Amino acid sequence: MQIKETIEFLSRYLDSEHYTNKCNKVHRIAISALEKQIPFKPKEYEDKYYSCKCGNVLMMKWAKYPTQLIPKSEGLPYCLNCGQALDWSDT
């Protein structure tokens, strides 16, 4: 089962009458953890830095402003603050 399919599967049972509030909480935690495995493209702010969706600064954009960019390949594969997987590709 793919990550997105698993998220949909778990989401269907959140509103089900067969599960207790405790089970719903477990499903929400599982869905949140699975969603963080789907790579997120970092946001670029003010042409200075890249940020995660949680607001954590991931990497400065310039090694030497404005002549030398830091390669995106040097970015971490995940956010150190929230654990979100990151997609540093240009496409």
Side-chain angles (χ1 to χ4, degrees):
M1 203 180 281
Q2 299 294 327
I3 292 173
K4 289 181 181 181
E5 292 171 337
T6 305
I7 292 169
E8 290 173 16
F9 177 80
L10 291 172
S11 295
R12 277 186 251 142
Y13 291 99
L14 280 175
D15 296 326
S16 173
E17 296 175 11
H18 298 95
Y19 288 93
T20 64
N21 286 336
K22 188 174 183 178
C23 287
N24 282 342
K25 184 176 181 179
V26 170
H27 278 104
R28 282 185 180 71
I29 291 168
I31 289 169
S32 176
L34 287 167
E35 287 174 339
K36 287 183 183 201
Q37 292 181 26
I38 299 171
F40 169 78
K41 282 201 160 306
K43 296 177 186 177
E44 183 180 334
Y45 285 96
E46 302 172 12
D47 197 36
K48 294 181 182 178
Y49 62 91
Y50 297 99
S51 171
C52 181
K53 61 173 131 182
C54 72
N56 186 44
V57 174
L58 301 167
M59 182 173 77
M60 300 309 289
K61 186 171 180 180
W62 299 95
K64 187 175 182 183
Y65 186 80
T67 58
Q68 186 180 1
L69 283 169
I70 297 174
K72 288 182 180 180
S73 62
E74 291 185 17
L76 293 172
Y78 61 91
C79 176
L80 294 176
N81 185 52
C82 71
Q84 175 67 51
L86 301 170
D87 176 6
W88 290 101
S89 67
D90 289 328
T91 56

